[in-house]
Amino acid sequence: QVQLVESGGGLVQAGESLTLSCAASGSIFSIDNMGWYRQAPGKQRDLVAAISSGGRSNYADSVKGRFTISRDHAKKMLYLQMSSLKPEDTAVYYCNADIWSSSLARRNYWGQGTQVTVSS
């Protein structure tokens, strides 16, 4: 059973920083692309940032220069460092990954989400 579990969300004030973490666990052979998505109330889930297995990253225009995505292959961890947070960054943040299981089946997985609230 493969799982993604996010942590690190919370309530912060505008201008502050927060770091999200996502831990992958279970019978994992390898992890390909990983990413962070977010969904605000009444809106669709959008890509925030993604990173390939080789470390190539891309960001939504709205977070460029403020957010940094990184991963630790050995620990099977994904991170999102968020700085200069704005009220419009308020959303549930989801971890996503393309994972090869130990039985060599490739599937896309989602975490359960972590709430980030930025007050003005």
Side-chain angles (χ1 to χ4, degrees), residues 4-120:
L4 296 176
V5 178
E6 302 98 335
S7 61
L11 171 63
V12 296
Q13 294 195 336
E16 294 185 338
S17 300
L18 204 60
T19 297
L20 304 182
S21 299
C22 172
S25 64
S27 301
I28 296 172
F29 177 72
S30 68
I31 304 176
D32 288 345
N33 297 328
M34 303 185 81
W36 288 98
Y37 289 73
R38 67 186 181 187
Q39 187 169 21
K43 296 190 176 182
Q44 66 181 21
R45 189 175 298 186
D46 291 324
L47 176 68
V48 175
I51 186 167
S52 70
S53 58
R56 187 172 298 177
S57 59
N58 62 281
Y59 298 89
D61 288 341
S62 59
V63 306
K64 280 180 183 176
R66 300 188 298 121
F67 290 12
T68 302
I69 190 170
S70 61
R71 63 189 289 176
D72 185 323
H73 285 275
K75 295 181 179 178
K76 298 185 180 63
M77 294 290 296
L78 178 70
Y79 305 98
L80 185 68
Q81 294 175 278
M82 306 184 290
S83 62
S84 303
L85 282 161
K86 305 175 181 180
E88 51 264 43
D89 293 319
T90 295
V92 177
Y93 284 71
Y94 296 91
C95 175
N96 178 269
D98 293 319
I99 297 177
W100 289 91
S101 67
S102 55
S103 60
L104 299 183
R106 187 175 186 268
R107 231 195 78 179
N108 185 260
Y109 291 87
W110 290 94
Q112 83 288 350
T114 186
Q115 177 70 47
V116 172
T117 303
V118 184
S119 64
S120 57

